[in-house]
Amino acid sequence: MAPRSIVIGMLAFLLAAAVAPALPTWLVSLATVAFANALVVLGLVILWRAGLVPFGQALYYAVGAYSVALITRYSGVRDVLAMLAAAAALSGLVGYLTGFLLARYREIFFSMLSLALSMILYGVLVKTETLGSTDGFHVDSPTYFGAAPQGGMRLLVLFWLVLACCSLSALLVSLYFRSVAGALAIPARDSEIRLEFLGVSVNRLIHLNLVIAATLAGIGGALAAIAVEHVDPDMSYWTTSGGFVFVTILAGAGSVAAAFVGSLLFELLKSIAYDVLPGTWQIFLGAVLLLTILFLPGGIGSLFMRRRRPEPAS
Amino acid sequence: MSAILAVRGLQKTFGSVVAARDINVAVPPLQTVGIIGANGAGKTTFVNMITGHLRPSKGTIVFCDRDITGRPSREITRLGIARSFQIPQIFQSLSVFENMCAATAIAHAAGGLPAQLLTPWRAPGSLRQAEAALELFRIARYRDTPAATLPQGVRKLLDIAMAVAGSPRLLLLDEPTSGITIEEKFELMDVVMSALKDRGITVLFVEHDMDIVARYADRVLAFYDGAVIADGSPAQALADPRIQELISGPQLKPATRSAGHA
């Protein structure tokens, strides 16, 4: 049983990789950041299914970003996979530790606690000279299996790496949603009591989702830091977290693919808004969010997830 | 030790309120026990303590020779005690079939989180079991109905069907017939009891309707003010003047009952 949606999604990533050399630089650059951020949104989609909306997911995004930044600053390691692995491990670890606290809370209490934790990191980053303080610091270009591409190739190779990370994450998350543990998120949102009395620990389930979402956010932050070659405390600020929630609403929590389409659309809208309304671009984005909530409450995902019927037993 | 469930000296206090006082009960396997009592008599507190929803203040609960006093509910569930709820606990945003699938999939993925990660949600075995359970509890025609829109009787049946998915040895039903019409009560209990029959499940059910108790229970536990004031056969217990005074009211003439439900 190879689900069709997974195959289509993987083909879409391959297509994006294939056409990239023909695309204008600004678009590849925009898509690189968009897909890096889409990994954070994918994590939010996972939590959203369980009824949780973190207002502080930028915490893990910044942990991932600062991990690669600190590696290039204080060590000789330049291998991109080693850097990503370190970022994923560290953000996952932070997600695991904060999860002991967060997994016990729901609804607005969860959201605000998540926000509070991210603002603690923001405070630390702003006040710490060795971490670059308010200015942040530069991130050196990584090497790809020993090679250090230059010029136009640098961007292209990075874009391919981002696509590889995204397709792998999308595949794993799709498989996760098809497992009992992944599918239990929606029941957990509906009735925790019933789940507990079926023998499931809802807190452990949510803890697992928190770690997955944190790891994805960390990888996203690491890729974004490599893409913009700079990190600063704003990456952990609550407006960054709010942006991820914005995209999640735009994308809708219905599907894995929506996280990527939504994130790309968001970056495109933002750059159009910058061009058309340089001083007041937020009004444009606000209007888009309003229209999404009014006319497409299920987000973009609901457009290609219209029919949601259980498959008959074979 | 022949009892499947043995409760000794069980006590529960909420501040100055005593919700359970010195309860001693031993239930042999395969018995069907009706629990009666006025509102606030401690019936649900008793069920909640056995299923780990509440921690007893004193006393012990032994299930299959294992002390389960104060264990978390999910652990007790895994040991083989399941329950249904007075207000059915079903997953509102899923269909009836998906609700049932959730219960059977969890039963198939025994072994906690690692097993749940490695077991597919739509495994053929658990889907088949879910279909069979809907047939057994006679709710298959609601298969694709969203749970949020179900009639109360179907919600109750689904709740019980989900509780039974894990093949428990002991099942506690908290007011299985509350909130549904008198005509439907017997139908529901017939469906439930025939589904549970032959499965080797010991049943404790909380019930306000004495006709239901008289028909389905092998034994009656009567609660009053947190204590068990009568423990015996339904005929014995329901004829007890104290029970009639405190719980059931004057006994109905048998003719009334058979006229209604023959």
Side-chain angles (χ1 to χ4, degrees):
Chain A
M1 190 171 82
R4 207 153 41 104
S5 54
I6 291 184
V7 176
I8 293 173
M10 293 304 120
L11 287 177
F13 279 120
L14 276 179
L15 183 69
V19 300
L23 296 175
T25 310
W26 69 267
L27 187 56
V28 177
S29 163
L30 181 144
T32 302
V33 174
F35 285 149
N37 290 346
L39 289 173
V40 191
V41 176
L42 187 58
L44 257 66
V45 166
I46 293 173
L47 295 176
W48 190 289
R49 281 158 50 95
L52 299 171
V53 184
F55 290 162
Q57 199 68 359
L59 166 63
Y60 314 103
Y61 184 69
V63 166
Y66 273 78
S67 302
V68 299
L70 290 171
I71 287 171
T72 67
R73 194 180 207 190
Y74 292 110
S75 84
V77 177
R78 289 292 177 277
D79 181 65
V80 76
L81 290 184
M83 284 160 68
L84 284 180
L90 204 61
S91 54
L93 177 67
V94 173
Y96 177 67
L97 294 176
T98 55
F100 283 104
L101 191 61
L102 284 168
R104 292 157 57 188
Y105 293 87
R106 305 288 182 267
E107 298 170 4
I108 191 69
F109 310 101
F110 170 86
S111 303
M112 297 312 285
L113 188 59
S114 143
L115 173 67
L117 291 174
S118 75
M119 291 310 285
I120 291 173
L121 178 67
Y122 177 77
V124 170
L125 292 177
V126 164
K127 295 289 176 198
T128 310
E129 287 291 336
T130 48
L131 295 175
S133 192
T134 46
D135 294 335
F137 56 90
H138 177 75
V139 179
D140 286 342
S141 285
T143 59
Y144 299 82
F145 304 104
Q150 299 298 317
M153 270 316 276
R154 200 197 73 81
L155 178 63
L156 210 53
V157 171
L158 177 60
F159 181 60
W160 285 333
L161 174 73
V162 169
L163 284 178
C165 289
C166 286
S167 51
L168 185 64
S169 303
L171 179 66
L172 290 176
V173 171
S174 296
L175 292 176
Y176 173 61
F177 285 170
R178 285 171 165 75
S179 76
V180 173
L184 284 179
I186 294 164
R189 189 185 58 198
D190 283 352
S191 173
E192 289 195 20
I193 290 181
R194 174 39 87 204
L195 272 189
E196 290 281 339
F197 280 96
L198 288 172
V200 175
S201 165
V202 176
N203 281 8
R204 282 192 67 198
L205 201 65
I206 286 178
H207 201 158
L208 174 68
N209 285 336
L210 287 169
V211 173
I212 295 173
T215 308
L216 287 170
I219 298 171
L223 290 171
I226 295 169
V228 300
E229 302 187 294
H230 186 82
V231 291
D232 65 50
D234 276 353
M235 293 185 103
S236 68
Y237 200 54
W238 65 269
T239 51
T240 307
S241 296
F244 295 133
V245 175
F246 183 119
V247 183
T248 310
I249 295 171
L250 189 68
S255 78
V256 171
F260 298 95
V261 178
S263 195
L264 189 61
L265 195 66
F266 175 72
E267 289 297 330
L268 280 172
L269 284 174
K270 208 163 75 173
S271 71
I272 292 169
Y274 273 132
D275 278 353
V276 182
L277 304 161
T280 50
W281 59 275
Q282 292 96 336
I283 293 179
F284 183 77
L285 280 186
V288 169
L289 185 62
L290 192 64
L291 291 172
T292 307
I293 291 171
L294 284 178
F295 297 109
L296 206 58
I300 296 166
S302 64
L303 288 178
F304 41 84
M305 289 274 292
R306 266 288 145 79
R307 287 187 333 110
R308 192 177 144 273
R309 278 178 52 79
E311 294 155 37
S314 43
Chain B
M1 183 83 228
S2 63
I4 186 167
L5 179 75
V7 170
R8 288 185 214 100
L10 205 60
Q11 189 154 327
K12 179 72 191 174
T13 51
F14 298 100
S16 59
V17 177
V18 183
R21 52 182 91 223
D22 195 28
I23 298 173
N24 294 283
V25 174
V27 180
L30 304 181
Q31 198 169 50
T32 300
V33 182
I35 299 172
I36 61 171
N39 287 325
K43 306 180 300 293
T44 298
T45 303
F46 179 66
V47 170
N48 282 343
M49 283 191 288
I50 293 172
T51 55
H53 202 48
L54 280 176
R55 208 189 166 82
S57 311
K58 244 192 219 163
T60 56
I61 304 165
V62 175
F63 171 67
C64 293
D65 297 325
R66 189 197 288 250
D67 189 346
I68 58 162
T69 318
R71 307 304 306 162
S73 44
R74 58 175 178 279
E75 211 173 286
I76 290 176
T77 303
R78 286 193 210 128
L79 290 175
I81 301 183
R83 72 171 290 182
S84 75
F85 295 83
Q86 187 180 352
I87 298 162
Q89 292 295 320
I90 55 181
F91 307 126
Q92 301 280 358
S93 58
L94 303 182
S95 73
V96 168
F97 182 61
E98 288 169 320
N99 266 275
M100 202 59 230
C101 284
T104 55
I106 292 166
H108 273 249
L113 209 46
Q116 286 158 10
L117 269 173
L118 296 174
T119 310
W121 174 244
R122 299 199 167 281
S126 63
L127 290 178
R128 260 199 312 275
Q129 200 191 328
E131 298 278 10
L134 294 188
E135 292 290 342
L136 187 63
F137 283 87
R138 317 261 179 88
I139 49 177
R141 69 193 171 99
Y142 295 97
R143 185 184 187 279
D144 297 322
T145 309
T149 65
L150 289 174
Q152 184 67 4
V154 181
R155 300 168 74 83
K156 290 274 191 185
L157 284 170
L158 179 59
D159 189 41
I160 296 168
M162 287 166 73
V164 177
S167 309
R169 295 196 57 195
L170 175 65
L171 177 66
L172 294 97
L173 307 172
D174 194 359
E175 304 203 17
T177 69
S178 73
I180 58 178
T181 61
I182 293 173
E183 300 83 63
E184 286 174 330
K185 283 186 179 186
F186 283 84
E187 206 182 304
L188 180 138
M189 285 305 281
D190 280 342
V191 169
V192 171
M193 290 304 172
S194 70
L196 298 179
K197 216 171 153 186
D198 307 329
R199 288 191 150 212
I201 300 178
T202 308
V203 180
L204 268 68
F205 68 99
V206 175
E207 185 53 66
H208 281 292
D209 189 320
M210 295 306 142
D211 291 343
I212 300 268
V213 174
R215 188 189 289 195
Y216 298 101
D218 303 326
R219 174 184 176 188
V220 171
L221 290 179
F223 278 72
Y224 181 75
D225 194 25
V228 175
I229 57 166
D231 178 357
S233 73
Q236 253 176 352
L238 298 181
D240 187 332
R242 266 212 316 165
I243 306 290
Q244 291 187 13
E245 185 199 332
L246 296 172
I247 301 168
S248 60
Q251 198 165 26
L252 298 174
K253 287 191 184 76
T256 323
R257 193 181 52 159
S258 49
H261 308 293

